[in-house]
Amino acid sequence: MTATSGAAGSSPVGPDVVRLRDLLGVPVDLELLQLALTHRSYAYEHGGIRHNERLEFLGDSILGQAVTVKLFRDYPELDEGELAKRRASLVSTVALAEIGRHIGLGVFLRLGKGEEQTGGRGKSSILADTVEAVIGATYLSAGADAATDLVLRLVAPLLVDPARFGAAMDPKTSLQELAASLTLGNPAYRITEAGPDHDKTFHATVVLQGEDIATGTGTSKKTAEMSAALDAWTRLSGRTTGA
């Protein structure tokens, strides 16, 4: 499809969208990919054009199926309960946001001015939703096999790093254990919030021995704390940032 306005319903597809497609390594339609990057805040500020929430809905289903099949096949020794825990970890907002950061997704987002000013490019909820939307766009463009392949490539770093996998499953506990092993004491969390009551964003900062270690954002205090805890665990463990 040519790089013109269409599925995204607004401006022509820019070179940044082409760059992301090359980065992903999948033959996703450029207009659908641009739509996947279009947050509702941008859509509302540009005359109510289409945004990515329908693609997100589709991508969530594809993500869940691909991860479920992968875990079922690769871990025959695990029972249903353990498989469910691992799947929940891999499809969580925290894990998907880390995937988004790992591939540099934030710079490609189409955000409204309000989201831009409040750090929307780094918000876990927005990054996670956009990852799902990109998966949905890939499915519609290139089919189920290409979408599944993309999912497996995105989650692969977690699966090959058992320690980080465990941290993603329960980042606050993992951080507490790591901090104790490094004789840093118990982590504390400082929470701030912004936005109207119906659309609040929470910011969490991990504090160890009076020093700010890492931050995270989310649509709830719990999600923000989990995001900050995983970032702190990543830094303290010496691993590179990203899922």
Side-chain angles (χ1 to χ4, degrees), residues 91-108:
V91 303
S92 69
T93 296
V94 171
L96 293 178
E98 288 301 303
I99 288 171
R101 293 186 182 99
H102 183 63
I103 63 176
L105 191 60
V107 300
F108 300 100

Side-chain angles (χ1 to χ4, degrees), residues 192-241:
T192 59
E193 57 186 68
D197 289 341
H198 68 278
D199 191 24
K200 281 191 178 298
T201 297
F202 294 87
H203 302 268
T205 302
V206 176
V207 182
L208 277 171
Q209 296 184 327
E211 181 182 353
D212 293 355
I213 300 298
T215 61
T217 61
T219 54
S220 69
K221 292 180 180 179
K222 178 180 179 181
T223 301
E225 288 180 350
M226 290 175 63
S227 178
L230 184 57
D231 187 24
W233 182 92
T234 299
R235 294 171 186 271
L236 292 177
S237 66
R239 286 169 166 77
T240 56
T241 302

Side-chain angles (χ1 to χ4, degrees), residues 133-172:
V134 168
I135 294 168
T138 301
Y139 176 88
L140 291 178
S141 300
D145 289 346
T148 297
D149 177 70
L150 176 62
V151 169
L152 297 182
R153 284 192 285 114
L154 292 176
V155 304
L158 275 179
L159 292 172
V160 299
D161 186 346
R164 187 172 177 80
F165 189 96
M169 289 180 67
D170 190 353
K172 293 183 69 174

Side-chain angles (χ1 to χ4, degrees), residues 71-72 75-88:
L71 292 174
F72 182 85
Y75 299 94
E77 75 282 4
L78 298 182
D79 62 23
E80 179 187 3
E82 184 62 26
L83 288 171
K85 285 175 58 180
R86 296 198 178 199
R87 177 179 61 191

Side-chain angles (χ1 to χ4, degrees), residues 8 10 38-53 110-113 115 198-199:
S10 59
T38 304
H39 187 257
R40 63 184 177 185
S41 62
Y42 182 96
Y44 294 160
E45 290 183 9
H46 290 77
I49 63 174
R50 296 171 64 193
H51 52 74
N52 64 6
E53 290 182 3
R110 287 164 33 113
L111 301 175
K113 293 180 181 178
E115 283 292 351
H198 68 278
D199 191 24

